[in-house]
Amino acid sequence: MLAALPDGDERELESSEEGGGGAGDERRPERHGSTYHSLYGYWSRRSSRRGADGGDGGAAPGSPPGRDFSLSLLDTNLPAEAETELRGFIAKRLAKGAVFEGMGNVATVDLSIPECKVGCYYCLFQQESLLETATLESEISAPEYVVCFLGGSEKDTFRLELDKYVQSLKLSLDLEQKTLETCVNPYLRSWFENSICPIQRVVQLFQEKLAFLLHAALSYTPVEVKNADERTEKDISRFLAAASLQGLVQEGTMTSLCIAMTEEQHKSMVVDCTGAQLQLHNAGSNRFCEDWMHAFVNGAEGGNPFLFRQVLENFKLKAIQDINNLKRFIRQAEMNHYALFKCYMFLKNCGSGDILLKIVKVEHAEMPEARNVVTVLEEFMKETAVA
């Protein structure tokens, strides 16, 4: 989610894409006391006149002609001086037209807090209930909001989760003070627990059994959770979504894989949370997932949730690289018997031959020559009991 890569006077990140790469140099454990939030009301006046908007922030200095706006503080847990500094940073971004509705951004900000430089996710959004009532003829646009979540020093790995978190905020936000205090404020305070920590909690819950969950995510095996509290069930669901190759492998392939997995004898893996020890039924694994499980468990010692997400991204990146290598070998094997042997040796040694073979089988279902290669590979794997 949050980044500490300075770039320019305001240290704005040029890209907020979620991706792989190594974790940042600074890997200190995150503490809940080092996370902050701020929520602002944002009103803009699209007019040639420069009128007072009446917000706490006033019209931002340097705003483009004909576009006055104000930022009014609605809720924060930042110290007063740090909040003023943050509001100035957001005002500059708005004045430059660098903030777009519904699109989260990540930057590093320097504030008067113990951590000094922290990652800041900020997003401009509009209240859902007001979208239908806003009129184009209105001189003053419908009220909008800017939410900021601050903490951490790692790369931009949680932006998508925070985008979803803001979407939920849009549905519950109301300017009435009672709603703000009873619903919105607790929601803002919980951003770190709800958006950043689920992967870490799942690793701590499963420990060595995490290999089975990784295998289910890669193979799109349905997972059924029994006798778990609501948060644990949501955490497992979020982990599976984050660990899957959704968006990285063709959508049609994923759909066909889901259908194929549900038609197999063991329709779903069952996670039973009854008692002190986690019980798994109909679970599968392979050497690839077991190796990556150790990377997660070893990382648990540091307690840094940002590091867990980076390991997860590297896990997915390696899986995609293996899929692409196998597909390349299959194309070669269509005309070369030696390449067919290379395919077999790759499947035997990569540690995830069972999953890779299912994926390429689905992708090449409509390609006769490639399908024949896959059929031969399946027979080889069965004969040698590798699959």
Side-chain angles (χ1 to χ4, degrees), residues 16-17 22 30 52 58 97 128 132 177 190 211 215 217 228 248 287 374 387:
S16 54
E17 296 176 352
E30 295 299 324
E128 284 289 332
E132 298 179 358
Q177 192 63 27
S190 303
H215 187 273
L248 301 177
R287 191 173 72 252
V374 173

Side-chain angles (χ1 to χ4, degrees), residues 82-382:
E83 186 281 316
T84 301
E85 295 165 346
L86 175 64
R87 195 180 340 176
F89 167 79
I90 297 298
K92 288 181 181 179
R93 304 309 301 163
L94 290 168
K96 288 183 177 181
V99 185
F100 301 96
E101 200 276 332
M103 297 178 60
N105 297 272
V106 175
T108 301
V109 293
D110 194 349
L111 304 178
S112 299
I113 52 177
E115 296 80 14
C116 294
K117 295 180 180 180
V118 293
C120 174
Y121 167 94
Y122 58 97
C123 184
L124 171 68
F125 66 96
Q126 195 167 34
Q127 188 176 333
E128 284 289 332
S129 60
L130 294 178
L131 289 176
E132 298 179 358
T133 60
T135 61
L136 294 176
E137 294 79 11
S138 177
E139 182 183 3
I140 300 178
S141 63
E144 295 175 297
Y145 305 90
V146 178
V147 64
C148 303
F149 297 125
L150 304 97
S153 57
E154 301 294 335
K155 282 192 175 182
D156 176 24
T157 54
F158 283 93
R159 184 179 56 81
L160 295 180
E161 282 85 349
L162 289 170
D163 283 345
K164 293 178 181 178
Y165 202 66
V166 172
Q167 287 297 318
S168 298
L169 178 62
K170 291 171 65 174
L171 299 175
S172 60
L173 187 60
D174 195 312
L175 274 177
E176 293 183 6
Q177 192 63 27
K178 290 183 179 180
T179 305
L180 183 64
E181 293 177 354
T182 59
C183 299
V184 178
N185 183 273
Y187 190 83
L188 294 173
R189 288 200 308 266
S190 303
W191 73 269
F192 190 81
E193 280 286 332
N194 292 335
S195 295
I196 311 301
C197 294
I199 294 175
Q200 180 182 31
R201 289 196 294 263
V202 168
V203 172
Q204 293 171 341
L205 174 65
F206 278 77
Q207 295 294 319
E208 285 78 10
K209 295 178 181 178
L210 187 70
F212 300 105
L213 198 62
L214 291 171
H215 187 273
L218 277 188
S219 61
Y220 273 73
T221 301
V223 175
E224 180 183 354
V225 181
K226 292 184 176 180
N227 304 313
D229 57 75
E230 182 179 0
R231 189 177 79 166
T232 298
E233 192 167 350
K234 286 183 178 180
D235 284 350
I236 295 174
S237 177
R238 289 174 179 174
F239 184 94
L240 289 168
S244 76
L245 302 182
Q246 187 74 39
L248 301 177
V249 173
Q250 297 178 10
E251 185 176 346
T253 299
M254 290 295 97
T255 301
S256 300
L257 264 178
C258 292
I259 295 174
M261 293 307 299
T262 54
E263 289 177 349
E264 290 191 356
Q265 183 177 0
H266 300 304
K267 291 188 177 182
S268 63
M269 184 180 95
V270 178
V271 179
D272 190 349
C273 298
T274 305
Q277 294 294 325
L278 201 66
Q279 299 295 322
L280 304 181
H281 307 284
N282 303 331
S285 185
N286 57 31
R287 191 173 72 252
F288 179 83
C289 294
E290 289 169 1
D291 289 343
W292 279 96
M293 172 272 294
H294 290 296
F296 281 99
V297 173
N298 292 339
E301 298 177 1
N304 188 336
F306 298 95
L307 179 59
F308 285 113
R309 182 53 187 267
Q310 194 61 63
V311 174
L312 191 60
E313 291 303 311
N314 292 340
F315 163 79
K316 292 164 60 176
L317 178 61
K318 177 57 177 167
I320 288 295
Q321 289 174 341
D322 286 349
I323 291 172
N324 290 336
N325 283 333
L326 179 58
K327 289 162 68 175
R328 177 166 53 86
F329 290 146
I330 289 176
R331 287 195 300 270
Q332 296 171 357
E334 293 175 8
M335 300 173 290
N336 186 316
H337 288 292
Y338 177 71
L340 180 62
F341 179 72
K342 286 174 63 179
C343 284
Y344 167 70
M345 292 304 297
F346 177 79
L347 287 170
K348 181 179 178 181
N349 296 324
C350 70
S352 58
D354 57 333
I355 295 176
L356 298 186
L357 204 52
K358 289 177 182 177
I359 293 176
V360 296
K361 181 178 181 179
V362 169
E363 285 197 353
H364 296 88
E366 305 300 326
M367 305 176 186
E369 293 183 356
R371 187 174 67 240
N372 291 336
V373 172
V374 173
T375 300
V376 173
L377 289 172
E378 282 184 312
E379 292 175 358
F380 281 167
M381 297 291 281
K382 289 178 181 178

